[in-house]
Amino acid sequence: MPQDLPGFYYDAEKNRYFPIKGPIPGTSRPRIPSASSQNPLSNSTQPAKSLRTGERTSKLLQVRELNGNVLSLTKGKRKFKEEFQKKLVSQPVVLKYQGTRHRADAALQPIHVKLNTSTGQREIDAVLAGSINGTLSLFGVGKVGQHFDTGINFLPDRVGPRVKENKAESYKEAEHIWIPEGASILMSSRVSSIKLPRKYSSCELDDGFNCRRTVVTTLGSGTPGGAIYVLSLDDPFEFPPGLFSIRQRMTSVASFNCTIWTADCNSSASEAVVGTNRGAAMVNLETGSTSWVCCGKSDVFAQQLNESGKVILCGLRNGAIVTVDVRERPQGSARRLIRHRIPYSPLRKTVQNSNKQWFELSGNICPSRTAFMPSSITSLVSLRFYDQYFLASAMDGSVMLYDHRLSKRGPIQSYEGHANSHTLLQLAVDQSERFVMAGGEDCNLRIWSIKSGELLFQEKVSDSAPSTVSWRLVERPLGNPDEKQSQNELQFAESLRWEAWFGSVDGLYHMGWP
């Protein structure tokens, strides 16, 4: 057994030691709260009014000319590029599309689709959206749809008050959306999730990546349980005059006799994992065969597969976040899974009507790596550039950053101001992994800096909670995967065109930065 070394942890799979660093490499570690602490790491509940977000961009440029690329601010020295990006992200243009009510309040995913037109084949941006009433819709983005005789065009209204009219008008024209005939269908029940393979959703697009499939799940209602489907995007849509029907591209993979709350799929879109009221199950998307990997009495509300597809993060109704290793799966019944008694953390004991000191869970899990939040988990997002870190949100409004290696010590960063009490509200992280966004029950949309925890944007943009959020896919690949991580991150950030989509009961919204 390898011995413990101060400041290092041992990775058995890689058979080597790694240093334990701060929450984001290159930064100092913030104070780690005790497990019983309910105090946030940051007390800011309003967007910062310092030089970063309160002054004009020209002021930042002037300071850089005088002091170089390292700025001396009230909270210490900061890099000019980071501060400039924070300033930009705090001033978006927000558009609402008329006629999209009840179209995108359950699930949302920006995608690319191929389209055959009279002038040849082209790839266009699109948004696949699901609703609580079971409607699944594919919206085309851009001016292409203006030239077609069939379908519906949706007009945008600017609802973001922080941007000048001339900028909003030019952006409004660029972000026209439309829905062709046959691109909206009614599913068997509420759409509970829409997921792309993580490689595709992170936009590492290249000619060698030919798996263009989207996983769609339904919640289930009454006796009929949830179901999992695959929507094929490989073949181009014929339009006009051919059919744009998405029903013909939908394949039913598997049905369950339980509720499906969430789902995720691996990078090759060969397998998916679903979170249900019975636990978590892996589904082969080719054969439909199912194997349970985690079972318990607490619903799995949130899930995240890691890059390798070998480990699943599961967020439970009881506030636990467990790590499930799926490399070895028992054949046959879920009863063959290893049973664990996991003690609740002090955080969980503060919740009313929770007198138990432990709960039972079956699966190939490591109880010592279980993290807890004060209430039910609503969303989980693993960071790709820093694969030991993940973001989690809970129904009490908590948004936290965790380190897998230090999960028992609690969160290493918090993000204040979020409002939630009972809703499965989503988190979304931009492709450069600098910012995290979430909508709240107070109808506000918020954006934080992942690194510093600063609240950069907070605005009431809807009359109902923005329950679905997603950053838009970028158009250029990350670069040579053999290069150093920091260089990859820099290239990815430079290729990024910030755009985001979010939805509420009131309709579909677009957020952009001209």
Side-chain angles (χ1 to χ4, degrees):
M1 183 70 181
Q3 62 179 351
D4 292 334
L5 297 179
F8 292 84
Y9 76 99
Y10 179 73
D11 190 310
E13 183 178 351
K14 297 181 180 179
N15 193 28
R16 59 174 293 190
Y17 289 92
F18 291 90
I20 297 177
K21 299 181 180 179
I24 300 295
T27 66
S28 59
R29 177 178 296 279
R31 178 181 63 85
I32 306 295
S34 63
S36 61
S37 174
Q38 297 295 310
N39 295 324
L41 298 174
S42 171
N43 294 321
S44 173
T45 57
Q46 296 293 331
K49 296 299 182 180
S50 64
L51 180 62
R52 290 179 292 282
T53 57
E55 301 291 342
R56 294 182 178 180
T57 304
S58 58
K59 182 66 174 178
L60 274 176
L61 294 171
Q62 180 183 6
V63 173
R64 185 185 66 166
E65 292 299 317
L66 295 174
N67 300 283
N69 287 322
V70 178
L71 308 180
S72 296
L73 304 176
T74 55
K75 293 186 178 181
K77 293 184 177 181
R78 304 292 175 88
K79 293 181 180 179
F80 168 79
K81 186 175 181 179
E82 293 178 359
E83 301 307 309
F84 191 78
Q85 288 177 334
K86 291 179 186 178
K87 169 62 181 173
L88 292 180
V89 82
S90 69
Q91 297 182 336
V93 178
V94 182
L95 302 179
K96 175 185 178 182
Y97 291 92
Q98 302 175 14
T100 59
R101 185 174 174 81
H102 293 295
R103 292 270 195 170
D105 51 348
L108 182 68
Q109 179 64 66
I111 59 176
H112 295 299
V113 297
K114 297 176 183 177
L115 186 66
N116 280 340
T117 69
S118 57
T119 59
Q121 186 179 115
R122 60 188 301 179
E123 189 168 278
I124 65 169
D125 293 324
V127 177
L128 191 61
S131 70
I132 293 176
N133 62 21
T135 302
L136 182 69
S137 303
L138 180 63
F139 295 90
V141 180
K143 301 179 181 180
V144 177
Q146 297 180 12
H147 306 295
F148 301 144
D149 297 329
T150 59
I152 304 172
N153 291 289
F154 298 93
L155 300 177
D157 289 327
R158 183 176 66 86
V159 294
R162 297 191 176 192
V163 183
K164 295 181 179 179
E165 288 291 341
N166 58 347
K167 289 186 179 181
E169 291 299 324
S170 62
Y171 213 73
K172 186 184 297 185
E173 182 180 0
E175 294 307 321
H176 178 87
I177 70 169
W178 47 279
I179 186 167
E181 186 177 354
S184 181
I185 62 174
L186 186 64
M187 306 294 287
S188 58
S189 61
R190 168 180 174 167
V191 178
S192 57
S193 70
I194 301 173
K195 294 291 183 179
L196 287 175
R198 202 170 186 204
K199 181 177 182 181
Y200 182 54
S201 63
S202 299
C203 300
E204 298 179 46
L205 303 179
D206 54 63
D207 295 336
F209 183 58
N210 54 17
C211 185
R212 303 282 299 270
R213 301 196 294 179
T214 303
V215 175
V216 180
T217 61
T218 55
L219 186 71
S221 58
T223 303
I228 182 168
Y229 303 83
V230 168
L231 174 63
S232 174
L233 302 174
D234 276 328
D235 299 326
F237 288 92
E238 300 288 341
F239 193 70
L243 294 175
F244 204 88
S245 174
I246 60 176
R247 186 177 295 278
Q248 297 179 356
R249 296 168 178 263
M250 294 283 290
T251 302
S252 177
V253 176
S255 299
F256 290 76
N257 60 356
C258 54
T259 301
I260 296 180
W261 293 108
T262 185
D264 199 6
C265 60
N266 62 5
S267 59
S268 63
S270 60
E271 287 187 309
V273 58
V274 294
T276 76
N277 60 322
R278 291 178 49 195
M282 294 291 295
V283 181
N284 186 306
L285 296 179
E286 300 293 340
T287 66
S289 61
T290 300
S291 59
W292 290 92
V293 294
C294 179
C295 290
K297 295 183 179 180
S298 189
D299 300 47
V300 178
F301 280 160
Q303 282 182 329
Q304 177 74 77
L305 269 169
N306 72 347
E307 288 290 307
S308 67
K310 300 175 182 178
V311 176
I312 311 169
L313 274 179
C314 292
L316 309 185
R317 180 192 288 271
N318 65 12
I321 303 172
V322 299
T323 302
V324 183
D325 191 327
V326 296
R327 285 173 291 187
E328 295 182 8
R329 306 176 202 167
Q331 300 297 319
S333 172
R335 295 178 181 177
R336 300 188 181 185
L337 295 172
I338 303 172
R339 303 181 71 176
H340 302 269
R341 290 175 55 147
I342 303 175
Y344 284 115
S345 83
L347 283 177
R348 185 61 192 173
K349 294 178 183 178
T350 63
V351 181
Q352 293 181 355
N353 302 323
S354 181
N355 298 320
K356 288 186 176 181
Q357 302 300 310
W358 49 267
F359 69 97
E360 287 190 355
L361 196 64
S362 299
N364 190 10
I365 65 174
C366 180
S368 64
R369 298 189 70 177
T370 300
F372 284 88
M373 297 189 76
S375 61
S376 301
I377 309 301
T378 61
S379 186
L380 293 169
V381 181
S382 294
L383 300 186
R384 296 174 60 250
F385 295 128
Y386 315 111
D387 58 3
Q388 293 294 338
Y389 303 93
F390 66 92
L391 289 154
S393 61
M395 284 189 183
D396 69 334
S398 302
V399 180
M400 303 289 186
L401 177 69
Y402 288 87
D403 185 331
H404 283 291
R405 300 160 297 188
L406 305 171
S407 56
K408 294 199 71 174
R409 298 177 63 182
I412 56 177
Q413 180 67 281
S414 69
Y415 306 88
E416 299 308 309
H418 187 48
N420 193 13
S421 62
H422 67 281
T423 310
L424 290 174
L425 301 175
Q426 299 175 5
L427 295 177
V429 173
D430 78 302
Q431 285 78 18
S432 68
E433 296 187 345
R434 286 178 167 84
F435 308 107
V436 57
M437 175 172 59
E441 283 186 343
D442 58 357
C443 305
N444 278 262
L445 190 75
R446 295 176 176 87
I447 302 176
W448 297 266
S449 166
I450 293 178
K451 194 174 190 179
S452 67
E454 295 170 272
L455 180 58
L456 303 175
F457 175 79
Q458 176 177 280
E459 196 72 44
K460 183 176 180 180
V461 293
S462 172
D463 292 329
S464 57
S467 53
T468 61
V469 291
S470 181
W471 293 85
R472 176 189 177 272
L473 307 180
V474 297
E475 299 176 349
R476 289 190 286 171
L478 200 79
N480 186 350
D482 295 329
E483 294 176 355
K484 292 183 179 180
Q485 178 173 293
S486 59
Q487 183 64 24
N488 274 346
E489 181 186 1
L490 178 60
Q491 290 177 350
F492 203 75
E494 290 175 347
S495 71
L496 181 66
R497 179 189 173 190
W498 282 332
E499 287 188 7
W501 294 88
F502 61 95
S504 71
V505 171
D506 293 333
L508 181 62
Y509 294 76
H510 179 270
M511 176 179 284
W513 289 264

